[in-house]
Amino acid sequence: MKTLLKITQGMITIALILSLAFFVSCKNGDGTVKPQIIKDVKLTTSLVDGDVWLGVGATFDLGAMSFTSIKLPIIDPYDKTRVYGEINFAPTFSGNYNAIEIKVNLSDCAKIPGSSATLPNGNALPMSGLDGRVVALDIDQIHSKIYLALDHNLTLLGFAISIKEFDVVAQYVGGANIFLGFSIPGVNGSDYIKGNVGLYTSLNTSYESGLAFFVDISSVMSTDILNDIIDGVAVTEEKFLAKSAKTWSKAYKQNVTKQLGDKLPSVAKQKRFSTIVNKMMNTKQTLNFVEE
């Protein structure tokens, strides 16, 4: 029976509470789109004994709601003894911001068989064309997932975090997803980072509603490195240091923009999302994860 459990520098500051107000976006000076609450974004990679590790950091604003500090391992769904990284949730000392940090071994994860992964509510992920090619990893102790796709058409990392308090949203809009695409500049204003952030709800309101985001990671990886990871070949330091030669095609970038764009329900459902989520954002409370 399910019970409750109280989620390097910033990454996608998540527009994850997703009322219409949260979806208000603004234009950067360079014309890219940034959800209103995004503070900063950073993706990093490192090389350890031939394995490529991805680091993702995020700071985001959930209004009056906040997470307690918790760090959990990311484990193999087929072998619970294998750990591929960790995810860390914590409030910050700056205003109402909350922080997320993820570290994951991409080289190890690429060895896991892909699947037709779904969100915890059973709905499809908010992008198409990756059937059978998404690795879904468990976040130990809580009813949540890390998603990883290493593909020449779309290479991304994502997560979905089920939260007990969001069952209230499911009572208003059960079985619906709402996602907003974003495009923001990376380090020094280069290598734009694209992704989407969203909220998913369950039809049966049984602790299967929560927050999710997906982000393209090609900005910190060359196609040569991707090929080595997919082929199970150790990445050399020389190749890793030359990763600035991204070689991603224009067609790839156009596909990313399309795949990680807005995924919105009907206007009526958007309004119901807005009503309940705005109320939650104005209520001081600690969000609780769902324990497996």
Side-chain angles (χ1 to χ4, degrees):
M1 182 177 181
K2 293 176 181 176
T3 56
L4 304 179
L5 178 69
K6 286 198 174 191
I7 221 200
T8 327
Q9 295 173 304
M11 169 200 106
I12 322 284
T13 316
I14 328 176
L16 287 177
I17 297 299
L18 306 190
S19 62
L20 296 183
F22 254 54
F23 270 138
V24 172
S25 299
C26 59
K27 291 281 188 179
N28 295 313
D30 52 22
T32 57
V33 177
K34 178 167 87 171
Q36 192 78 22
I37 67 165
I38 286 181
K39 186 174 183 292
D40 52 35
V41 171
K42 189 171 184 181
L43 306 176
T44 60
T45 51
S46 57
L47 186 65
V48 181
D49 297 329
D51 287 352
V52 177
W53 283 75
L54 173 70
V56 179
T59 44
F60 56 99
D61 187 351
L62 302 180
M65 298 183 290
S66 64
F67 294 125
T68 53
S69 297
I70 186 170
K71 181 183 292 186
L72 296 170
I74 299 168
I75 63 175
D76 191 320
Y78 307 103
D79 181 357
K80 301 297 185 180
T81 66
R82 293 187 63 85
V83 178
Y84 294 98
E86 65 181 23
I87 185 168
N88 183 34
F89 306 90
T92 71
F93 296 106
S94 176
N96 294 324
Y97 294 118
N98 291 261
I100 294 177
E101 294 179 353
I102 300 172
K103 296 177 182 177
V104 63
N105 186 325
L106 298 181
S107 299
D108 267 358
C109 290
K111 301 171 186 176
I112 304 171
S115 65
S116 297
T118 62
L119 294 169
N121 65 355
N123 286 359
L125 301 183
M127 70 283 299
S128 61
L130 286 173
D131 292 343
R133 290 179 287 174
V134 176
V135 173
L137 302 171
D138 293 330
I139 301 176
D140 197 27
Q141 302 179 36
I142 60 177
H143 185 55
S144 303
K145 296 283 186 182
I146 293 285
Y147 303 97
L148 181 66
L150 295 169
D151 191 90
H152 292 96
N153 294 318
L154 183 65
T155 181
L156 62 82
L157 177 113
F159 71 64
I161 308 296
S162 295
I163 295 176
K164 177 255 184 181
E165 284 73 16
F166 278 83
D167 277 4
V168 175
V169 184
Q171 294 173 17
Y172 282 74
V173 199
N177 304 327
I178 181 169
F179 284 86
L180 177 70
F182 62 79
S183 175
I184 55 180
V187 178
N188 299 321
S190 62
D191 296 330
Y192 297 127
I193 297 171
K194 296 181 183 293
N196 62 29
V197 295
L199 182 150
Y200 59 91
T201 62
S202 172
L203 275 173
N204 57 20
T205 67
S206 60
Y207 305 149
E208 294 180 347
S209 302
L211 311 175
F213 81 76
F214 297 87
V215 59
D216 171 49
I217 60 175
S218 66
S219 63
V220 290
M221 183 185 306
S222 70
T223 52
D224 284 345
I225 291 177
L226 174 66
N227 289 334
D228 282 353
I229 291 175
I230 292 174
D231 294 339
V233 176
V235 176
T236 65
E237 184 174 0
E238 179 182 13
K239 186 173 291 185
F240 181 77
L241 293 176
K243 63 186 176 184
S244 58
K246 298 295 186 301
T247 66
W248 295 97
S249 68
K250 182 178 179 180
Y252 175 89
K253 294 177 181 178
Q254 291 174 337
N255 182 60
V256 167
T257 300
K258 179 181 178 180
Q259 291 281 58
L260 296 176
D262 297 351
K263 306 293 188 300
L264 303 176
S266 66
V267 173
K269 287 186 177 181
Q270 290 180 53
K271 289 181 178 179
R272 291 201 292 273
F273 266 110
S274 179
T275 298
I276 184 60
V277 174
N278 275 326
K279 182 177 180 180
M280 292 179 65
M281 288 178 60
N282 290 320
T283 303
K284 186 174 179 61
Q285 60 183 313
T286 298
L287 299 177
N288 298 277
F289 303 139
V290 178
E291 187 179 80
E292 291 283 19

